[in-house]
Amino acid sequence: MHQKTVLILGGGVGGLITANVLSKSIGKNHRIILIDRDKQYAFAPSFPWLATGVRKPEKICKDLNALKKKRIEFVEGEITEINAEKKTVEVNGKVISGDIMVLAMGADLVPDSVNGLEGMGHNFYSLEGSKNLRDSLKNFHGGDLVVLITSLPYKCPAAPYEMAMLLEYYCRKRKIRDKVNISMYAAEPGPMGVAGKELSGAVRQIVESKGIQYFPEHQLEKINAVEKSLHFTNGHEAHVDLLAYVPTHKVPDVVKSAGLTGESGWVQVDRNTLETKFSNIFAIGDITGISLALGKPLPKAGVFAHYQAEVVAHNITVDILGKGKSKSFTGDGECFIELGDGKAGFARGNFYKEPLPDVKMYKPGRHWHAGKVLFEKDWFRRWF
Ligand SMILES: Cc1cc2nc3c(=O)[nH]c(=O)nc-3n(C[C@H](O)[C@H](O)[C@H](O)COP(=O)(O)OP(=O)(O)OC[C@H]3O[C@@H](n4cnc5c(N)ncnc54)[C@H](O)[C@@H]3O)c2cc1C
C-alpha cells in the first residue's frame, strides 16, 4: 500500500487525540507528523487549580516528545505558512508535505487587546498567567478582586465562572473573605448561554449565592492603569486590586492567510465530518466556527475538540485502509464546573439538537469534583 502522511497542525487537545487514535488504527506503514510551537503540552482545565495553589505546574504538563514511542513524529516549531492546495506547511523555514492535513491550532489569545490590560491583570487562560495569579494571590490580603471576560467568543464557557468560585473559596480558606469584594464582569448576557436559559440561570444563582457580584453584558473598552480601573462601553467603571481575566480570542493569522476561514471568521467545516472546503483537509476544535440552529456558534471547548478528533481520525483510517464505515460528529458534549468547597457541577447534552441544544445540569456534589480529578489523571495516562 502506498505510504500516506498525515500532518497534524497543533498538539493541543484535538491534535493530541487525533495523533493517538491514528497511531493505533492506521498501522505501521503510514506516517503521523504532529507539529506544535511548544513542546510542552499543558492541561488547561487544571489552570484554575494551579492559580489557587492546589496543583503544581509539573503535575499538569507533559513533553510532546513522549509521543515518539507511539510512532508519532513530533516537530517543534512555528507554522508560518499553510498551503491548502499543495497540503504543505512551512515550519522553521522548512517545507513539510502531507497527503492529509488536520488543523487543530486552537484560538490565538490576545492578552493586550485593550491597551495595558496585560500589565494590569493575569491571563489565567495561559500557564504563565495562572502561575502569576497564584503568586500575586499569596501577597493579596484584601480589596477588589475581579474576574473579567474581555470579549466573545472565548473557549470553555464554564472556566471564568469556575475561576471566580475557586477564588472565593480560596479567600475563605485563607480567612480573608471578609476583606475581599469579588466581582465578575462578563461580555455575555449570562453564564454558558448556549446550554439554555435554565442552566445559565442555575449557574448564575450559584455564583451569586457565594457573594460574588455578577455584571453581565459589560464589554471592556479601556483601562486606567494609574487608577487601577476598568471602563466598560456602557459607562460603568470598576476599581481593581487584583485582576484575573479571559483574553480576547482570534483565529491564527496563518490560517486566515491560507484562505480557510468562512463567514464566522473561523475555519468553515462540514459540521458532521469536519472537512474543510479542501478535500482531505480537516479542522477540529477551537479553530472552527460551527453555527447552531439557535443562531449562536458551537461553544469552543476541549470536549468537542476531543470528540471531533476521534471522528476525524476514524474517518482518515477508513479512507487509508479502504475498509470500515465512516462516522459523524454528533454535537454531544459534557463538562464539569468546579464550585469550591470540594464540590462541582456537571452538565451534559446534545448541542446539535434543534431548535435548541438539549443540555442538562446534574445536582452539584463532591462526586463531580472527584470525577474531574479522575478525568485529569486519566488524561495523561491515556494520551501520553
Ligand atoms: C482555564 C481553562 C479551562 C478549561 N477547561 C475546560 C474544561 O473543563 N472542559 C473543556 O471541554 N474545555 C476546557 N477548556 C477549553 C479547552 O482547553 C480548549 O477548548 C481545547 O484545548 C481546544 O483544543 P484545540 O485542539 O482546538 O486547541 P488547543 O488545545 O488550544 O491546541 C492548539 C495548539 O496549536 C498550537 N499552535 C497554534 N498555532 C500554531 C502555530 N502557528 N505553529 C505551531 N503551533 C501552533 C498551540 O501551541 C497549541 O498547542 C479550558 C480552557 C481553559 C483556558
Side-chain angles (χ1 to χ4, degrees), residues 9-16 35-38 40-41 44-48 64 77-80 104-109 124-126 130 155-156 158-159 162 252 254 284-287 300-305 334-336 372 375:
L9 318 189
V13 172
L16 181 65
I35 308 162
D36 203 294
R37 58 162 74 104
D38 198 344
Q40 178 175 250
Y41 169 84
S46 300
F47 289 173
L64 288 168
E78 182 77 23
I79 300 162
T80 45
M105 295 156 78
D108 268 1
L109 302 181
F124 72 93
Y125 263 42
S126 72
S130 297
K155 58 184 158 184
C156 192
E162 279 191 328
V254 63
I284 56 176
D286 293 351
I287 204 172
K300 300 191 183 304
V303 65
F304 298 129
E334 63 270 325
C335 82
F336 296 103
K372 179 158 174 172
F375 180 74

Side-chain angles (χ1 to χ4, degrees), residues 8-186:
I8 303 171
L9 318 189
V13 172
L16 181 65
I17 295 177
T18 306
N20 263 276
V21 176
L22 285 173
S23 79
K24 284 195 182 141
S25 61
I26 57 169
K28 293 183 180 155
N29 296 332
H30 306 285
R31 293 179 70 191
I32 305 161
I33 302 177
L34 179 74
I35 308 162
D36 203 294
R37 58 162 74 104
D38 198 344
K39 69 174 181 188
Q40 178 175 250
Y41 169 84
F43 185 66
S46 300
F47 289 173
W49 283 337
L50 173 63
T52 48
V54 292
R55 280 295 176 283
K56 292 219 158 38
E58 54 276 19
K59 184 104 206 285
I60 61 165
C61 294
K62 278 273 183 213
D63 190 326
L64 288 168
N65 283 299
L67 299 174
K68 285 181 181 162
K69 64 178 185 276
K70 302 184 180 188
R71 287 180 301 102
I72 297 164
E73 299 169 42
F74 173 59
V75 177
E76 183 185 350
E78 182 77 23
I79 300 162
T80 45
E81 199 182 315
I82 301 170
N83 186 324
E85 300 282 354
K86 294 186 180 163
K87 296 194 184 61
T88 59
V89 293
E90 195 181 288
V91 186
N92 303 333
K94 282 193 191 147
V95 175
I96 307 176
S97 57
D99 301 289
I100 300 151
M101 246 165 41
V102 182
L103 273 77
M105 295 156 78
D108 268 1
L109 302 181
V110 191
D112 221 17
S113 60
V114 167
N115 198 15
L117 185 61
E118 195 176 16
M120 187 159 140
H122 301 291
N123 160 19
F124 72 93
Y125 263 42
S126 72
L127 183 71
E128 275 317 298
S130 297
K131 285 197 241 172
N132 293 338
L133 175 58
R134 174 200 60 190
D135 296 344
S136 291
L137 273 168
K138 286 181 193 155
N139 299 316
F140 180 68
H141 304 288
D144 294 320
L145 174 52
V146 174
V147 176
L148 166 77
I149 299 166
T150 311
S151 59
L152 304 177
Y154 66 93
K155 58 184 158 184
C156 192
Y161 297 91
E162 279 191 328
M163 189 73 260
M165 290 188 277
L166 289 178
L167 285 170
E168 194 276 334
Y169 177 46
Y170 169 93
C171 291
R172 268 191 286 129
K173 277 198 300 186
R174 270 201 39 214
K175 302 202 187 327
I176 56 169
R177 180 67 182 95
D178 56 335
K179 298 185 191 72
V180 183
N181 300 314
I182 308 178
S183 24
M184 199 175 166
Y185 290 86

